[in-house]
Amino acid sequence: MTQPSPAPSPRRPWVPWAVAGGAVAVAVVAAVVVVPLLAPASAPSPTPTQTDAVGPSPSATSTPTPTPTATCTVTTPSVAWFDVRELALPADGEFTADRVQRIRGADEFDFLDSTGFLIDDDRFGIITFHESSSVSVLTVAERDGEVLWTREIEGSLAPVSSPALTGAADRIVVSVAVDTDWVMRSLDLATGETLAERPFGEHFAVFAKASRASSAAVAPASADAFYVSDRETLSRVNADTLETEWSASGSDFGVDEFEGGVPFWVTEDVVFVGSHALDAQTGESLGWESAGAVFLAGGATLQTMVMYDHVGPYDLSGLDTATGETCWSREIISMAGTADTLWVLTTDGAVERIDPATGATEETLAQTSADTLHTAGRFLVAYDGDEEDYSAPVTATVFDGSTQVGELTLSSGAELYGSGDQLVVYERGTSTTPASLTAYDLPSTDRVWRAKLEDAYPDAAAGGLLQHRETSDGDVSIIDVYLLHGTGERAR
C-alpha cells in the first residue's frame, strides 16, 4: 500500500483529483465507443479577454509584492517532474489497444484492482491484485503497449520506489503484504529478477510531493535511498541493500499523529517529522522548523500550514532549507504549478503568475470569481462552483501559458487531463450512465470526439486508458487488461 497522504486540498471540495492509477470492477462486457462530432457541439465559446472583474482590481488591493531578505535564498531542488495529468491520446479518438496483462481464474465475484505507477519517461508498471487467490500480477511495459516482463507474486503489492517516484535508478521496489507479514522486495527494472528482499514490518511509501500545487510525481534526479513509514516512524532505506540507514519517530519530536499518521515531508536534502527539519543523509536534527507542509513546485521549495479540509485563505511561502528561513510569504486562496511555473489565486480574485524565488507577481492573467486552481497537463484551470450546492455544474476557465483559451461548463466531479493540444474531460458515470471521455480542441473549445467507456478509465501513469475485458478458456474465466492509447508521447 502507498501511505495515505494529504492530496492537493482545494478550497472547495467539489473537484476530486485522482492520483495516477485507479480501480475498476470485473467487467461482463467491455467496449470503448467513440462518437466523432462532425460539427462543433454546443460548448461555451472561447473568451479572448479577461473575465469580468469581481471586486477591486489587483493593482488596487492585491497583496503587496514580498521582498526577500538579502541573506535568504529559496532552495532550488534538482528534481525530476512527471506530470500525471498529461495523457497521450489519439487526436481523433481512434484508440490503439494492446493487451498488457492476462488474469486467469477470476470469476464474477472477484474484485480486480488494476493500478498503474510511474517508472520513467518510457515505461510504466501495472499491479493487478487477484483477490480470491491473494496473488498480485506485476507488469512493466513500454508506453506504446509493449510488455517487457510480468511476474506473479503472492500477496498484495504496492510500489515503494522507482526512478520516477524516488530517483533510485535501475530497479523498482515493492511492498508485499501476505496476511500480517510484510516484505520489501527489489526487482531489476530490465528483467524483473529479484535483487534483494527482506522482512520489514508494515510500511508505506513516503514520496517527495508537489502537494497543493500539483498532483505531479516529483523525485530527486538521482538517489541511492528512499523513505517509508509505519505511520509513526520515518525510515531511510538503502536502495541497494534494503537496509534501514536511520529512523526518526514523531515521539522523538513530540509530533502527534494527524489524520491517520505522523505527517512526514521529503525534499532533496532535508526531510521533516511534522515541522522538524532533519538532514536527509544522516537523520540528524537541523534545529529549525518549517511553517508546516513542505513541497516542491515551480522549481522551488515551498511551504504552507498543514491542511486537509481547510476552507479559506492560507499563507504560501518560500523556504531556504540551508538556514530554515522563510524568504517570502503571501496570503492566497489557491495555487497551482508545473515544473517551472507557479500560479496563485489571490484573496481579491486575481489569477497571478508569481516568481517562486521572491513571491513577486510577474503577471496577472485574469480577475475571476473562481476559488480553486489546478493544472491539467500544460493547462492551468480556474474553477468556479456553487458554494451552496456541491453537485451543481462547475465553470472551468482554461489558460495556456498566459493566454485564456476557453471556458467550459463541467459536471461536478469531472476530471481534466491534457493530451497534446486537447483538453480531455473524464466523467465517471453512474449505475445507469456509462463513463465518458470528451476531447476539446483549444483555443476554440470545440468538442471533437467523445468516447463512452465500458470498464475503462484514464491512468496517467500509463499515459492512456486501462480497460478490463472478460473472456474464457474452456471453463477457466480470463480477465485481460488492455492499454488504450494513441501514438504520441506523454509529457514530462
Side-chain angles (χ1 to χ4, degrees):
M1 297 173 60
T2 300
Q3 179 185 10
S5 60
S9 178
R11 181 172 177 239
R12 290 289 308 281
W14 37 255
V15 184
W17 287 80
V19 295
V24 294
V26 173
V28 177
V29 179
V32 173
V33 181
V34 178
V35 183
L37 300 175
L38 302 181
S42 56
S45 60
T47 307
T49 58
Q50 295 181 354
T51 56
D52 293 337
V54 178
S57 65
S59 60
T61 60
S62 60
T63 304
T65 297
T67 302
T69 61
T71 59
C72 189
T73 302
V74 175
T75 301
T76 303
S78 174
V79 296
W81 178 283
F82 293 84
D83 190 343
V84 296
R85 284 288 160 182
E86 183 74 24
L87 303 174
L89 303 180
D92 58 2
E94 295 294 330
F95 291 90
T96 298
D98 289 294
R99 190 179 74 194
V100 291
Q101 282 189 341
R102 168 159 284 189
I103 315 296
R104 299 179 62 88
D107 59 39
E108 59 180 319
F109 302 107
D110 256 327
F111 177 77
L112 296 185
D113 179 8
S114 296
T115 304
F117 64 94
L118 289 162
I119 292 180
D120 54 28
D121 284 329
D122 303 314
R123 295 166 290 187
F124 68 98
I126 299 176
I127 295 172
T128 300
F129 180 55
H130 187 186
E131 190 174 30
S132 62
S133 65
S134 296
V135 169
S136 292
V137 180
L138 170 62
T139 297
V140 170
E142 300 277 0
R143 295 194 183 281
D144 62 4
E146 180 183 354
V147 173
L148 301 180
W149 54 265
T150 294
R151 285 192 60 178
E152 292 188 1
I153 299 175
E154 182 183 2
S156 176
L157 266 59
V160 173
S161 175
S162 75
L165 297 176
T166 66
D170 302 325
R171 72 201 66 210
I172 57 176
V173 180
V174 293
S175 168
V176 185
V178 180
D179 296 325
T180 58
D181 296 325
W182 292 67
V183 171
M184 189 178 294
R185 183 177 297 174
S186 174
L187 304 173
D188 185 281
L189 186 51
T191 65
E193 177 187 358
T194 298
L195 300 176
E197 178 178 313
R198 77 181 188 93
F200 207 88
E202 187 176 20
H203 57 280
F204 308 90
V206 180
F207 303 128
K209 295 181 176 68
S211 193
R212 299 180 65 88
S214 174
S215 52
V218 181
S222 64
D224 56 10
F226 54 87
Y227 300 89
V228 297
S229 165
D230 60 3
R231 293 195 175 97
E232 297 178 354
T233 300
L234 181 72
S235 298
R236 178 180 166 99
V237 179
N238 184 281
D240 289 329
T241 65
L242 302 185
E243 296 296 323
T244 300
E245 296 183 355
W246 58 259
S247 296
S249 70
S251 60
D252 294 337
F253 298 91
V255 179
D256 295 328
E257 294 189 23
F258 184 61
E259 295 289 332
V262 174
F264 299 111
W265 320 102
V266 174
T267 69
E268 185 182 18
D269 299 318
V270 179
V271 300
F272 297 85
V273 178
S275 60
H276 297 268
L278 281 62
D279 183 279
Q281 294 290 328
T282 65
E284 295 180 359
S285 174
L286 296 175
W288 57 267
E289 296 185 40
S290 70
V294 179
F295 56 100
L296 309 173
T301 304
L302 306 172
Q303 56 184 346
T304 66
M305 58 184 278
V306 178
M307 294 175 282
Y308 281 75
D309 295 315
H310 177 75
V311 176
Y314 59 92
D315 287 336
L316 169 69
S317 55
L319 177 64
D320 184 344
T321 58
T323 64
E325 289 184 86
T326 295
C327 299
W328 58 265
S329 181
R330 57 187 299 176
E331 188 178 59
I332 63 171
I333 295 296
S334 185
M335 64 180 297
T338 64
D340 54 12
T341 306
L342 188 64
W343 297 278
V344 299
L345 180 60
T346 69
T347 54
D348 55 4
V351 180
E352 297 182 355
R353 178 171 56 85
I354 69 172
D355 181 353
T358 65
T361 299
E362 296 185 319
E363 182 181 18
T364 298
L365 277 62
Q367 191 77 14
T368 178
S369 58
D371 56 11
T372 304
L373 298 180
H374 278 297
T375 54
R378 74 169 193 258
F379 303 109
L380 171 69
V381 185
Y383 292 94
D384 187 1
D386 190 324
E387 294 184 359
E388 303 298 329
D389 184 3
Y390 292 161
S391 64
V394 176
T395 299
T397 303
V398 184
F399 300 87
D400 187 355
S402 301
T403 305
Q404 183 174 316
V405 293
E407 187 174 285
L408 299 172
T409 299
L410 308 175
S411 62
S412 176
E415 299 175 12
L416 293 186
Y417 296 85
S419 179
D421 292 330
Q422 294 180 338
L423 189 70
V424 181
V425 180
Y426 173 61
E427 297 180 278
R428 293 181 178 275
T430 65
S431 58
T432 58
T433 304
S436 66
L437 200 66
T438 307
Y440 296 86
D441 266 343
L442 298 174
S444 67
T445 59
D446 288 340
R447 194 170 63 189
V448 291
W449 58 263
R450 171 176 287 170
K452 296 180 180 180
L453 306 183
E454 295 288 348
D455 304 300
Y457 53 92
D459 193 298
L465 311 181
L466 291 184
Q467 181 186 56
H468 284 191
R469 301 181 186 177
E470 183 177 356
T471 60
S472 63
D473 180 9
D475 294 332
V476 178
S477 61
I478 297 173
I479 300 296
D480 287 327
V481 182
Y482 277 81
L483 173 66
L484 308 179
H485 60 97
T487 57
E489 294 183 355
R490 177 183 171 279
R492 174 175 173 175

